[in-house]
Amino acid sequence: QQQVKQSPQSLIVQKGGISIINCAYENTAFDYFPWYQQFPGKGPALLIAIRPDVSEKKEGRFTISFNKSAKQFSLHIMDSQPGDSATYFCAANSPTSGTYKYIFGTGTRLKVLA
Amino acid sequence: DAGVTQSPTHLIKTRGQQVTLRCSPKSGHDTVSWYQQALGQGPQFIFQYYEEEERQRGNFPDRFSGHQFPNYSSELNVNALLLGDSALYLCASSLDRQGTQYFGPGTRLLVL
Protein backbone atom coordinates (compact mmCIF):
# COMPACT_ATOMS: atom_id res chain seq x y z
CA GLN A 1 0.00 0.00 0.00
CA GLN A 2 3.00 2.26 0.42
CA GLN A 3 4.20 1.76 -3.15
CA VAL A 4 4.19 4.25 -5.97
CA LYS A 5 4.26 2.53 -9.34
CA GLN A 6 5.90 4.43 -12.18
CA SER A 7 5.88 3.79 -15.91
CA PRO A 8 7.42 3.54 -18.39
CA GLN A 9 10.85 2.49 -17.22
CA SER A 10 12.44 4.25 -20.19
CA LEU A 11 11.21 6.64 -22.85
CA ILE A 12 12.65 7.97 -26.10
CA VAL A 13 11.12 11.12 -27.58
CA GLN A 14 12.00 13.27 -30.55
CA LYS A 15 12.99 16.88 -29.94
CA GLY A 16 9.86 19.01 -29.77
CA GLY A 17 7.65 16.08 -28.81
CA ILE A 18 5.64 15.47 -25.64
CA SER A 19 7.05 13.20 -22.93
CA ILE A 20 4.49 11.55 -20.65
CA ILE A 21 5.36 9.68 -17.46
CA ASN A 22 2.72 8.02 -15.32
CA CYS A 23 2.50 7.12 -11.64
CA ALA A 24 -0.11 5.27 -9.61
CA TYR A 25 -0.55 4.89 -5.88
CA GLU A 26 -2.71 2.91 -3.44
CA ASN A 27 -2.50 4.86 -0.20
CA THR A 28 -5.39 7.35 -0.18
CA ALA A 29 -3.71 9.21 2.68
CA PHE A 30 -1.07 10.54 0.27
CA ASP A 31 -1.69 14.24 -0.24
CA TYR A 32 1.48 15.65 -1.73
CA PHE A 33 2.97 14.54 -5.04
CA PRO A 34 6.30 16.03 -6.21
CA TRP A 35 8.26 15.21 -9.34
CA TYR A 36 12.05 15.23 -9.39
CA GLN A 37 14.58 15.34 -12.21
CA GLN A 38 17.93 13.65 -11.72
CA PHE A 39 20.99 13.86 -13.93
CA PRO A 40 23.73 11.21 -13.65
CA GLY A 41 25.87 11.70 -10.57
CA LYS A 42 23.64 14.46 -9.21
CA GLY A 43 20.95 14.68 -6.56
CA PRO A 44 17.25 14.88 -7.50
CA ALA A 45 16.03 18.41 -8.28
CA LEU A 46 12.43 19.40 -7.64
CA LEU A 47 10.53 20.08 -10.86
CA ILE A 48 6.92 20.59 -9.88
CA ALA A 49 4.52 19.34 -7.21
CA ILE A 50 0.76 19.03 -6.77
CA ARG A 51 -1.80 18.48 -4.02
CA PRO A 52 -5.00 16.48 -4.65
CA ASP A 53 -7.29 19.51 -4.44
CA VAL A 54 -6.35 20.48 -8.02
CA SER A 55 -6.48 18.36 -11.17
CA GLU A 56 -3.69 20.07 -13.07
CA LYS A 57 -0.70 22.27 -12.42
CA LYS A 58 1.52 23.85 -15.05
CA GLU A 59 4.95 25.41 -14.71
CA GLY A 60 6.58 26.35 -17.97
CA ARG A 61 6.87 23.26 -20.16
CA PHE A 62 6.04 20.93 -17.26
CA THR A 63 2.47 19.94 -16.36
CA ILE A 64 1.18 17.55 -13.71
CA SER A 65 -2.22 15.98 -14.31
CA PHE A 66 -3.88 14.44 -11.25
CA ASN A 67 -6.77 11.97 -11.18
CA LYS A 68 -7.80 11.47 -7.56
CA SER A 69 -10.50 8.86 -8.23
CA ALA A 70 -8.10 6.72 -10.27
CA LYS A 71 -5.23 7.38 -7.84
CA GLN A 72 -2.99 8.32 -10.74
CA PHE A 73 -0.88 11.30 -11.67
CA SER A 74 1.31 12.06 -14.62
CA LEU A 75 4.05 14.42 -15.77
CA HIS A 76 3.86 15.94 -19.23
CA ILE A 77 6.92 17.63 -20.70
CA MET A 78 5.93 19.76 -23.65
CA ASP A 79 8.36 20.66 -26.46
CA SER A 80 10.89 18.17 -25.07
CA GLN A 81 14.53 19.18 -25.51
CA PRO A 82 17.78 17.16 -25.48
CA GLY A 83 18.64 18.94 -22.20
CA ASP A 84 15.59 17.25 -20.64
CA SER A 85 17.33 13.87 -21.01
CA ALA A 86 17.50 12.65 -17.41
CA THR A 87 15.81 10.26 -14.99
CA TYR A 88 12.47 11.41 -13.60
CA PHE A 89 11.01 10.27 -10.30
CA CYS A 90 7.53 10.73 -8.96
CA ALA A 91 7.05 10.68 -5.21
CA ALA A 92 4.29 10.88 -2.63
CA ASN A 93 3.82 11.48 1.07
CA SER A 94 1.11 12.51 3.51
CA PRO A 95 2.36 15.49 5.51
CA THR A 96 -1.08 16.39 6.81
CA SER A 97 -1.31 13.00 8.53
CA GLY A 98 2.23 13.08 9.88
CA THR A 99 3.99 10.86 7.36
CA TYR A 100 6.75 13.05 6.02
CA LYS A 101 8.95 10.51 4.24
CA TYR A 102 8.75 10.47 0.47
CA ILE A 103 7.85 7.22 -1.25
CA PHE A 104 9.53 7.32 -4.65
CA GLY A 105 8.64 5.58 -7.87
CA THR A 106 11.26 3.46 -9.61
CA GLY A 107 12.17 6.19 -12.09
CA THR A 108 11.83 6.81 -15.83
CA ARG A 109 14.91 7.30 -17.95
CA LEU A 110 14.05 9.86 -20.62
CA LYS A 111 16.13 10.37 -23.74
CA VAL A 112 15.25 13.21 -26.08
CA LEU A 113 16.73 12.84 -29.54
CA ALA A 114 18.06 15.94 -31.27
CA ASP B 1 21.61 31.35 -1.27
CA ALA B 2 23.46 28.07 -0.83
CA GLY B 3 21.48 24.94 -1.39
CA VAL B 4 21.92 21.66 0.43
CA THR B 5 25.56 20.65 0.63
CA GLN B 6 27.02 17.24 1.39
CA SER B 7 30.49 15.94 2.09
CA PRO B 8 32.43 14.06 1.02
CA THR B 9 31.36 13.63 -2.60
CA HIS B 10 32.86 10.15 -2.90
CA LEU B 11 34.07 7.60 -0.39
CA ILE B 12 35.58 4.13 -0.61
CA LYS B 13 35.48 1.84 2.43
CA THR B 14 35.98 -1.85 3.11
CA ARG B 15 33.53 -4.26 4.68
CA GLY B 16 33.23 -3.91 8.42
CA GLN B 17 34.40 -0.31 8.53
CA GLN B 18 32.39 2.64 9.75
CA VAL B 19 31.55 5.81 7.79
CA THR B 20 30.22 9.28 8.59
CA LEU B 21 28.53 11.44 5.99
CA ARG B 22 27.73 15.10 6.50
CA CYS B 23 24.97 17.44 5.37
CA SER B 24 24.32 21.16 5.66
CA PRO B 25 20.72 22.13 4.98
CA LYS B 26 19.49 24.92 2.77
CA SER B 27 19.51 28.29 4.51
CA GLY B 28 16.43 28.67 6.71
CA HIS B 29 15.61 24.95 6.76
CA ASP B 30 15.44 23.11 10.08
CA THR B 31 14.58 19.55 9.05
CA VAL B 32 16.93 17.02 7.46
CA SER B 33 16.01 13.69 5.89
CA TRP B 34 18.40 11.03 4.65
CA TYR B 35 17.80 8.66 1.74
CA GLN B 36 19.74 5.79 0.20
CA GLN B 37 19.65 5.44 -3.58
CA ALA B 38 20.95 2.19 -5.05
CA LEU B 39 22.02 2.24 -8.69
CA GLY B 40 19.01 2.38 -11.00
CA GLN B 41 16.53 2.72 -8.14
CA GLY B 42 14.51 5.45 -6.51
CA PRO B 43 15.68 6.89 -3.19
CA GLN B 44 14.69 4.97 -0.05
CA PHE B 45 13.97 6.88 3.17
CA ILE B 46 16.39 6.20 6.03
CA PHE B 47 15.31 8.69 8.71
CA GLN B 48 14.37 12.29 9.42
CA TYR B 49 15.83 14.67 12.00
CA TYR B 50 14.04 17.63 13.52
CA GLU B 51 14.91 19.56 16.67
CA GLU B 52 18.02 17.37 17.04
CA GLU B 53 15.99 14.18 17.35
CA GLU B 54 15.22 11.30 15.01
CA ARG B 55 11.52 11.68 14.27
CA GLN B 56 10.75 9.03 11.65
CA ARG B 57 12.67 6.01 10.45
CA GLY B 58 12.46 3.80 7.39
CA ASN B 59 13.23 0.10 7.13
CA PHE B 60 16.94 0.31 7.84
CA PRO B 61 18.86 -1.59 10.55
CA ASP B 62 20.24 0.19 13.56
CA ARG B 63 23.70 0.10 11.94
CA PHE B 64 22.39 3.31 10.41
CA SER B 65 22.32 6.15 12.91
CA GLY B 66 22.38 9.90 12.73
CA HIS B 67 22.68 13.15 14.51
CA GLN B 68 21.46 16.70 14.08
CA PHE B 69 23.37 19.63 15.48
CA PRO B 70 22.02 22.92 16.88
CA ASN B 71 22.84 24.65 13.56
CA TYR B 72 20.53 22.07 11.85
CA SER B 73 23.38 20.31 10.03
CA SER B 74 23.31 16.54 10.22
CA GLU B 75 25.46 13.42 10.08
CA LEU B 76 24.66 9.92 8.91
CA ASN B 77 26.73 7.13 10.45
CA VAL B 78 26.85 3.60 9.13
CA ASN B 79 28.61 0.90 11.17
CA ALA B 80 29.83 -2.55 10.13
CA LEU B 81 29.60 -1.73 6.43
CA LEU B 82 28.30 -4.38 4.06
CA LEU B 83 28.83 -4.61 0.31
CA GLY B 84 25.12 -3.87 -0.09
CA ASP B 85 25.56 -0.48 1.57
CA SER B 86 27.22 0.77 -1.63
CA ALA B 87 24.90 3.51 -2.88
CA LEU B 88 24.36 7.22 -3.32
CA TYR B 89 23.39 8.74 0.03
CA LEU B 90 21.18 11.77 -0.30
CA CYS B 91 20.39 14.43 2.23
CA ALA B 92 17.25 16.52 1.84
CA SER B 93 16.27 19.56 3.84
CA SER B 94 12.91 21.23 4.34
CA LEU B 95 11.54 24.37 5.94
CA ASP B 96 9.76 22.24 8.51
CA ARG B 97 8.71 18.62 8.77
CA GLN B 98 5.83 19.16 6.34
CA GLY B 99 7.79 21.21 3.82
CA THR B 100 8.96 20.28 0.37
CA GLN B 101 12.26 18.45 0.49
CA TYR B 102 15.25 19.78 -1.44
CA PHE B 103 18.06 17.37 -2.13
CA GLY B 104 21.79 17.75 -2.01
CA PRO B 105 24.19 16.30 -4.59
CA GLY B 106 24.74 13.14 -2.57
CA THR B 107 27.71 11.16 -1.34
CA ARG B 108 28.68 8.15 -3.42
CA LEU B 109 29.77 5.34 -1.08
CA LEU B 110 31.55 2.27 -2.43
CA VAL B 111 32.12 -0.65 -0.06
CA LEU B 112 34.75 -3.15 -1.19
Short mmCIF file of all heavy atoms in Angstrom, two decimals, chain A residues 32 34 36 38 41-46 49 51 89 93 95-96 98-107 109, chain B residues 33 35 37 40-45 48 56-59 88 90 97-106 108:
data_model
loop_
_atom_site.label_atom_id
_atom_site.label_comp_id
_atom_site.label_asym_id
_atom_site.label_seq_id
_atom_site.Cartn_x
_atom_site.Cartn_y
_atom_site.Cartn_z
N TYR A 32 0.49 14.77 -1.13
CA TYR A 32 1.48 15.65 -1.73
C TYR A 32 2.29 14.83 -2.71
O TYR A 32 2.77 13.74 -2.36
CB TYR A 32 2.39 16.27 -0.66
CG TYR A 32 3.36 17.29 -1.21
CD1 TYR A 32 2.91 18.51 -1.72
CD2 TYR A 32 4.72 17.05 -1.23
CE1 TYR A 32 3.79 19.44 -2.23
CE2 TYR A 32 5.61 17.97 -1.73
CZ TYR A 32 5.14 19.17 -2.23
OH TYR A 32 6.02 20.10 -2.74
N PRO A 34 5.26 15.28 -5.47
CA PRO A 34 6.30 16.03 -6.21
C PRO A 34 6.92 15.18 -7.32
O PRO A 34 6.89 13.93 -7.27
CB PRO A 34 7.33 16.32 -5.11
CG PRO A 34 7.21 15.17 -4.17
CD PRO A 34 5.76 14.71 -4.23
N TYR A 36 10.65 14.84 -9.42
CA TYR A 36 12.05 15.23 -9.39
C TYR A 36 12.74 14.80 -10.68
O TYR A 36 12.40 13.78 -11.28
CB TYR A 36 12.76 14.56 -8.20
CG TYR A 36 12.40 15.18 -6.86
CD1 TYR A 36 11.28 14.75 -6.16
CD2 TYR A 36 13.19 16.18 -6.31
CE1 TYR A 36 10.95 15.33 -4.93
CE2 TYR A 36 12.87 16.76 -5.09
CZ TYR A 36 11.75 16.32 -4.41
OH TYR A 36 11.43 16.89 -3.20
N GLN A 38 16.60 14.00 -12.19
CA GLN A 38 17.93 13.65 -11.72
C GLN A 38 18.86 13.37 -12.89
O GLN A 38 18.58 12.49 -13.71
CB GLN A 38 17.90 12.45 -10.77
CG GLN A 38 19.23 12.14 -10.12
CD GLN A 38 19.15 11.03 -9.09
OE1 GLN A 38 18.32 10.13 -9.20
NE2 GLN A 38 20.01 11.07 -8.08
N GLY A 41 24.91 11.22 -11.55
CA GLY A 41 25.87 11.70 -10.57
C GLY A 41 25.41 12.90 -9.76
O GLY A 41 26.18 13.44 -8.98
N LYS A 42 24.17 13.30 -9.93
CA LYS A 42 23.64 14.46 -9.21
C LYS A 42 22.48 14.04 -8.30
O LYS A 42 21.92 12.95 -8.44
CB LYS A 42 23.14 15.53 -10.19
CG LYS A 42 24.18 15.97 -11.20
CD LYS A 42 25.32 16.70 -10.55
CE LYS A 42 26.30 17.22 -11.59
NZ LYS A 42 27.47 17.89 -10.96
N GLY A 43 22.11 14.94 -7.39
CA GLY A 43 20.95 14.68 -6.56
C GLY A 43 19.67 15.07 -7.30
O GLY A 43 19.70 15.83 -8.26
N PRO A 44 18.53 14.53 -6.87
CA PRO A 44 17.25 14.88 -7.50
C PRO A 44 16.92 16.36 -7.30
O PRO A 44 17.12 16.89 -6.21
CB PRO A 44 16.24 14.00 -6.75
CG PRO A 44 17.05 12.94 -6.09
CD PRO A 44 18.37 13.54 -5.79
N ALA A 45 16.42 17.00 -8.34
CA ALA A 45 16.03 18.41 -8.28
C ALA A 45 14.52 18.50 -8.45
O ALA A 45 13.96 17.90 -9.37
CB ALA A 45 16.74 19.21 -9.37
N LEU A 46 13.88 19.25 -7.57
CA LEU A 46 12.43 19.40 -7.64
C LEU A 46 12.02 20.11 -8.92
O LEU A 46 12.55 21.15 -9.28
CB LEU A 46 11.93 20.20 -6.43
CG LEU A 46 10.44 20.47 -6.40
CD1 LEU A 46 9.68 19.18 -6.12
CD2 LEU A 46 10.11 21.53 -5.34
N ALA A 49 5.24 20.17 -8.17
CA ALA A 49 4.52 19.34 -7.21
C ALA A 49 3.04 19.73 -7.21
O ALA A 49 2.68 20.85 -7.59
CB ALA A 49 5.10 19.52 -5.81
N ARG A 51 -0.98 19.03 -5.10
CA ARG A 51 -1.80 18.48 -4.02
C ARG A 51 -3.11 18.02 -4.63
O ARG A 51 -3.53 18.53 -5.67
CB ARG A 51 -2.02 19.53 -2.94
CG ARG A 51 -0.72 19.99 -2.29
CD ARG A 51 -0.95 20.93 -1.13
NE ARG A 51 0.31 21.50 -0.66
CZ ARG A 51 1.15 20.90 0.15
NH1 ARG A 51 0.89 19.69 0.60
NH2 ARG A 51 2.28 21.49 0.52
N PHE A 89 11.62 11.03 -11.38
CA PHE A 89 11.01 10.27 -10.30
C PHE A 89 9.74 10.97 -9.83
O PHE A 89 9.76 12.18 -9.57
CB PHE A 89 11.95 10.15 -9.10
CG PHE A 89 13.16 9.29 -9.34
CD1 PHE A 89 14.36 9.85 -9.72
CD2 PHE A 89 13.09 7.91 -9.17
CE1 PHE A 89 15.49 9.07 -9.93
CE2 PHE A 89 14.21 7.12 -9.39
CZ PHE A 89 15.40 7.69 -9.77
N ASN A 93 3.82 11.62 -0.39
CA ASN A 93 3.82 11.48 1.07
C ASN A 93 2.52 12.05 1.61
O ASN A 93 1.65 12.50 0.83
CB ASN A 93 5.05 12.11 1.73
CG ASN A 93 5.04 13.63 1.71
OD1 ASN A 93 4.33 14.26 0.94
ND2 ASN A 93 5.86 14.22 2.56
N PRO A 95 1.94 14.60 4.43
CA PRO A 95 2.36 15.49 5.51
C PRO A 95 1.23 15.88 6.45
O PRO A 95 1.48 16.09 7.64
CB PRO A 95 2.94 16.70 4.77
CG PRO A 95 2.39 16.64 3.39
CD PRO A 95 2.18 15.19 3.10
N THR A 96 0.02 15.96 5.94
CA THR A 96 -1.08 16.39 6.81
C THR A 96 -1.45 15.31 7.82
O THR A 96 -2.09 15.60 8.83
CB THR A 96 -2.32 16.77 5.99
OG1 THR A 96 -2.69 15.67 5.18
CG2 THR A 96 -2.05 17.99 5.15
N GLY A 98 1.03 13.34 9.10
CA GLY A 98 2.23 13.08 9.88
C GLY A 98 3.22 12.10 9.28
O GLY A 98 4.15 11.68 9.95
N THR A 99 3.03 11.73 8.04
CA THR A 99 3.99 10.86 7.36
C THR A 99 4.79 11.70 6.39
O THR A 99 4.30 12.01 5.29
CB THR A 99 3.30 9.70 6.64
OG1 THR A 99 2.54 8.96 7.57
CG2 THR A 99 4.34 8.78 5.99
N TYR A 100 6.00 12.06 6.78
CA TYR A 100 6.75 13.05 6.02
C TYR A 100 7.70 12.42 5.00
O TYR A 100 8.16 13.10 4.10
CB TYR A 100 7.54 13.95 6.97
CG TYR A 100 6.64 14.58 8.02
CD1 TYR A 100 6.74 14.23 9.36
CD2 TYR A 100 5.69 15.52 7.66
CE1 TYR A 100 5.91 14.80 10.31
CE2 TYR A 100 4.85 16.10 8.60
CZ TYR A 100 4.97 15.74 9.93
OH TYR A 100 4.15 16.30 10.86
N LYS A 101 8.00 11.13 5.16
CA LYS A 101 8.95 10.51 4.24
C LYS A 101 8.34 10.43 2.86
O LYS A 101 7.14 10.20 2.70
CB LYS A 101 9.33 9.11 4.73
CG LYS A 101 8.17 8.12 4.73
CD LYS A 101 8.64 6.75 5.19
CE LYS A 101 7.51 5.74 5.13
NZ LYS A 101 7.95 4.41 5.60
N TYR A 102 9.19 10.63 1.85
CA TYR A 102 8.75 10.47 0.47
C TYR A 102 8.85 9.00 0.08
O TYR A 102 9.84 8.34 0.37
CB TYR A 102 9.63 11.29 -0.47
CG TYR A 102 9.37 12.77 -0.49
CD1 TYR A 102 10.16 13.63 -1.24
CD2 TYR A 102 8.34 13.34 0.25
CE1 TYR A 102 9.94 14.99 -1.27
CE2 TYR A 102 8.12 14.71 0.23
CZ TYR A 102 8.92 15.53 -0.53
OH TYR A 102 8.70 16.88 -0.56
N ILE A 103 7.81 8.53 -0.59
CA ILE A 103 7.85 7.22 -1.25
C ILE A 103 8.08 7.52 -2.73
O ILE A 103 7.25 8.20 -3.36
CB ILE A 103 6.54 6.45 -1.06
CG1 ILE A 103 6.18 6.31 0.41
CG2 ILE A 103 6.65 5.07 -1.73
CD1 ILE A 103 7.17 5.54 1.24
N PHE A 104 9.17 7.02 -3.27
CA PHE A 104 9.53 7.32 -4.65
C PHE A 104 9.11 6.18 -5.58
O PHE A 104 9.11 5.00 -5.20
CB PHE A 104 11.04 7.50 -4.78
CG PHE A 104 11.53 8.85 -4.35
CD1 PHE A 104 11.85 9.09 -3.03
CD2 PHE A 104 11.67 9.88 -5.27
CE1 PHE A 104 12.30 10.34 -2.62
CE2 PHE A 104 12.13 11.14 -4.87
CZ PHE A 104 12.43 11.37 -3.55
N GLY A 105 8.79 6.57 -6.82
CA GLY A 105 8.64 5.58 -7.87
C GLY A 105 10.02 5.07 -8.27
O GLY A 105 11.05 5.54 -7.79
N THR A 106 10.01 4.12 -9.21
CA THR A 106 11.26 3.46 -9.61
C THR A 106 12.03 4.26 -10.66
O THR A 106 13.16 3.88 -10.99
CB THR A 106 10.98 2.07 -10.15
OG1 THR A 106 9.93 2.15 -11.12
CG2 THR A 106 10.56 1.12 -9.03
N GLY A 107 11.45 5.33 -11.17
CA GLY A 107 12.17 6.19 -12.09
C GLY A 107 11.89 5.89 -13.56
O GLY A 107 11.58 4.75 -13.93
N ARG A 109 13.76 6.73 -17.26
CA ARG A 109 14.91 7.30 -17.95
C ARG A 109 14.45 7.86 -19.28
O ARG A 109 14.02 7.12 -20.17
CB ARG A 109 15.99 6.24 -18.14
CG ARG A 109 17.27 6.78 -18.77
CD ARG A 109 18.36 5.75 -18.78
NE ARG A 109 18.84 5.46 -17.44
CZ ARG A 109 19.86 4.65 -17.17
NH1 ARG A 109 20.49 4.03 -18.15
NH2 ARG A 109 20.25 4.44 -15.93
N SER B 33 16.35 15.09 6.14
CA SER B 33 16.01 13.69 5.89
C SER B 33 17.13 13.05 5.10
O SER B 33 17.76 13.70 4.26
CB SER B 33 14.70 13.57 5.10
OG SER B 33 13.63 14.20 5.79
N TYR B 35 18.29 9.71 2.64
CA TYR B 35 17.80 8.66 1.74
C TYR B 35 19.00 7.89 1.18
O TYR B 35 20.09 8.45 1.00
CB TYR B 35 17.03 9.27 0.56
CG TYR B 35 15.71 9.91 0.92
CD1 TYR B 35 15.65 11.18 1.48
CD2 TYR B 35 14.51 9.23 0.71
CE1 TYR B 35 14.45 11.77 1.81
CE2 TYR B 35 13.29 9.81 1.03
CZ TYR B 35 13.26 11.08 1.57
OH TYR B 35 12.07 11.65 1.90
N GLN B 37 20.06 5.72 -2.21
CA GLN B 37 19.65 5.44 -3.58
C GLN B 37 20.62 4.44 -4.20
O GLN B 37 21.77 4.77 -4.52
CB GLN B 37 19.59 6.71 -4.42
CG GLN B 37 19.04 6.46 -5.82
CD GLN B 37 18.91 7.74 -6.64
OE1 GLN B 37 19.61 8.73 -6.39
NE2 GLN B 37 18.01 7.73 -7.62
N GLY B 40 20.18 2.71 -10.20
CA GLY B 40 19.01 2.38 -11.00
C GLY B 40 17.71 2.33 -10.23
O GLY B 40 16.69 1.88 -10.77
N GLN B 41 17.72 2.76 -8.98
CA GLN B 41 16.53 2.72 -8.14
C GLN B 41 16.13 4.11 -7.67
O GLN B 41 16.91 5.05 -7.77
CB GLN B 41 16.78 1.83 -6.91
CG GLN B 41 17.19 0.40 -7.23
CD GLN B 41 16.09 -0.37 -7.89
OE1 GLN B 41 14.92 -0.27 -7.50
NE2 GLN B 41 16.43 -1.15 -8.91
N GLY B 42 14.93 4.21 -7.15
CA GLY B 42 14.51 5.45 -6.51
C GLY B 42 15.07 5.55 -5.10
O GLY B 42 15.43 4.53 -4.49
N PRO B 43 15.17 6.74 -4.57
CA PRO B 43 15.68 6.89 -3.19
C PRO B 43 14.78 6.20 -2.17
O PRO B 43 13.56 6.19 -2.32
CB PRO B 43 15.66 8.42 -2.99
CG PRO B 43 15.70 9.00 -4.37
CD PRO B 43 14.93 8.05 -5.21
N GLN B 44 15.40 5.62 -1.15
CA GLN B 44 14.69 4.97 -0.05
C GLN B 44 14.95 5.75 1.24
O GLN B 44 16.10 6.02 1.58
CB GLN B 44 15.18 3.52 0.12
CG GLN B 44 14.94 2.65 -1.10
CD GLN B 44 13.49 2.31 -1.32
OE1 GLN B 44 12.76 2.02 -0.37
NE2 GLN B 44 13.04 2.39 -2.56
N PHE B 45 13.89 6.05 1.95
CA PHE B 45 13.97 6.88 3.17
C PHE B 45 14.68 6.12 4.28
O PHE B 45 14.33 4.98 4.60
CB PHE B 45 12.55 7.25 3.60
CG PHE B 45 12.45 8.02 4.87
CD1 PHE B 45 12.74 9.37 4.92
CD2 PHE B 45 12.05 7.39 6.04
CE1 PHE B 45 12.62 10.09 6.10
CE2 PHE B 45 11.93 8.09 7.23
CZ PHE B 45 12.21 9.44 7.26
N GLN B 48 14.52 10.85 9.43
CA GLN B 48 14.37 12.29 9.42
C GLN B 48 14.73 12.86 10.78
O GLN B 48 14.35 12.29 11.82
CB GLN B 48 12.93 12.69 9.08
CG GLN B 48 12.71 14.20 8.96
CD GLN B 48 11.26 14.55 8.72
OE1 GLN B 48 10.42 14.44 9.61
NE2 GLN B 48 10.96 14.99 7.49
N GLN B 56 11.33 10.15 12.39
CA GLN B 56 10.75 9.03 11.65
C GLN B 56 11.90 8.21 11.09
O GLN B 56 12.98 8.74 10.82
CB GLN B 56 9.86 9.53 10.49
CG GLN B 56 8.51 10.02 10.92
CD GLN B 56 7.58 10.31 9.77
OE1 GLN B 56 7.97 10.32 8.60
NE2 GLN B 56 6.33 10.57 10.09
N ARG B 57 11.63 6.90 10.92
CA ARG B 57 12.67 6.01 10.45
C ARG B 57 12.09 5.07 9.42
O ARG B 57 10.95 4.59 9.56
CB ARG B 57 13.26 5.22 11.61
CG ARG B 57 14.50 4.43 11.26
CD ARG B 57 15.07 3.71 12.47
NE ARG B 57 16.30 3.02 12.11
CZ ARG B 57 17.52 3.54 12.24
NH1 ARG B 57 17.67 4.75 12.75
NH2 ARG B 57 18.60 2.87 11.88
N GLY B 58 12.86 4.78 8.39
CA GLY B 58 12.46 3.80 7.39
C GLY B 58 12.94 2.42 7.79
O GLY B 58 13.39 2.20 8.91
N ASN B 59 12.87 1.49 6.86
CA ASN B 59 13.23 0.10 7.13
C ASN B 59 14.73 -0.14 7.00
O ASN B 59 15.17 -0.89 6.12
CB ASN B 59 12.46 -0.84 6.21
CG ASN B 59 10.97 -0.80 6.48
OD1 ASN B 59 10.55 -0.63 7.61
ND2 ASN B 59 10.18 -0.92 5.42
N LEU B 88 24.30 5.76 -3.42
CA LEU B 88 24.36 7.22 -3.32
C LEU B 88 23.52 7.61 -2.11
O LEU B 88 22.34 7.25 -2.02
CB LEU B 88 23.80 7.87 -4.59
CG LEU B 88 23.80 9.40 -4.65
CD1 LEU B 88 25.22 9.94 -4.71
CD2 LEU B 88 22.99 9.88 -5.86
N LEU B 90 21.73 10.44 -0.06
CA LEU B 90 21.18 11.77 -0.30
C LEU B 90 20.65 12.38 0.98
O LEU B 90 19.99 11.71 1.78
CB LEU B 90 20.03 11.68 -1.32
CG LEU B 90 20.42 11.21 -2.72
CD1 LEU B 90 19.18 10.77 -3.48
CD2 LEU B 90 21.13 12.32 -3.47
N ARG B 97 8.89 20.06 9.03
CA ARG B 97 8.71 18.62 8.77
C ARG B 97 7.75 18.39 7.59
O ARG B 97 7.87 17.41 6.88
CB ARG B 97 8.20 17.93 10.02
CG ARG B 97 9.20 17.97 11.17
CD ARG B 97 8.79 17.03 12.27
NE ARG B 97 8.91 15.65 11.84
CZ ARG B 97 8.33 14.62 12.43
NH1 ARG B 97 7.54 14.82 13.48
NH2 ARG B 97 8.50 13.40 11.99
N GLN B 98 6.82 19.33 7.40
CA GLN B 98 5.83 19.16 6.34
C GLN B 98 6.32 19.71 4.99
O GLN B 98 5.70 19.47 3.97
CB GLN B 98 4.53 19.88 6.71
CG GLN B 98 3.79 19.27 7.86
CD GLN B 98 2.39 19.83 8.01
OE1 GLN B 98 1.88 20.49 7.11
NE2 GLN B 98 1.75 19.57 9.13
N GLY B 99 7.38 20.47 5.01
CA GLY B 99 7.79 21.21 3.82
C GLY B 99 8.35 20.36 2.71
O GLY B 99 8.77 19.21 2.92
N THR B 100 8.36 20.93 1.53
CA THR B 100 8.96 20.28 0.37
C THR B 100 10.43 20.02 0.64
O THR B 100 11.14 20.87 1.17
CB THR B 100 8.81 21.17 -0.86
OG1 THR B 100 7.41 21.34 -1.13
CG2 THR B 100 9.49 20.57 -2.08
N GLN B 101 10.88 18.84 0.23
CA GLN B 101 12.26 18.45 0.49
C GLN B 101 13.14 18.77 -0.71
O GLN B 101 12.82 18.43 -1.85
CB GLN B 101 12.30 16.95 0.81
CG GLN B 101 11.57 16.63 2.11
CD GLN B 101 11.55 15.16 2.45
OE1 GLN B 101 12.44 14.40 2.06
NE2 GLN B 101 10.56 14.74 3.21
N TYR B 102 14.26 19.40 -0.43
CA TYR B 102 15.25 19.78 -1.44
C TYR B 102 16.51 18.96 -1.20
O TYR B 102 17.03 18.95 -0.09
CB TYR B 102 15.54 21.28 -1.37
CG TYR B 102 14.35 22.12 -1.74
CD1 TYR B 102 13.40 22.47 -0.78
CD2 TYR B 102 14.14 22.54 -3.05
CE1 TYR B 102 12.28 23.23 -1.11
CE2 TYR B 102 13.02 23.30 -3.39
CZ TYR B 102 12.10 23.63 -2.42
OH TYR B 102 10.99 24.37 -2.76
N PHE B 103 16.97 18.32 -2.26
CA PHE B 103 18.06 17.37 -2.13
C PHE B 103 19.42 17.98 -2.40
O PHE B 103 19.58 18.88 -3.24
CB PHE B 103 17.85 16.19 -3.08
CG PHE B 103 16.77 15.25 -2.63
CD1 PHE B 103 15.44 15.51 -2.89
CD2 PHE B 103 17.10 14.10 -1.92
CE1 PHE B 103 14.44 14.65 -2.45
CE2 PHE B 103 16.11 13.22 -1.49
CZ PHE B 103 14.79 13.51 -1.75
N GLY B 104 20.41 17.44 -1.72
CA GLY B 104 21.79 17.75 -2.01
C GLY B 104 22.33 16.88 -3.13
O GLY B 104 21.60 16.03 -3.67
N PRO B 105 23.61 17.06 -3.48
CA PRO B 105 24.19 16.30 -4.59
C PRO B 105 24.50 14.85 -4.25
O PRO B 105 24.72 14.03 -5.14
CB PRO B 105 25.48 17.06 -4.89
CG PRO B 105 25.83 17.73 -3.60
CD PRO B 105 24.53 18.05 -2.94
N GLY B 106 24.51 14.52 -2.96
CA GLY B 106 24.74 13.14 -2.57
C GLY B 106 26.20 12.83 -2.30
O GLY B 106 27.11 13.54 -2.72
N ARG B 108 28.60 9.49 -2.83
CA ARG B 108 28.68 8.15 -3.42
C ARG B 108 29.58 7.29 -2.57
O ARG B 108 30.77 7.57 -2.43
CB ARG B 108 29.23 8.25 -4.84
CG ARG B 108 29.49 6.92 -5.51
CD ARG B 108 28.23 6.21 -5.93
NE ARG B 108 27.47 6.93 -6.93
CZ ARG B 108 26.27 6.56 -7.35
NH1 ARG B 108 25.70 5.49 -6.87
NH2 ARG B 108 25.64 7.27 -8.27
#
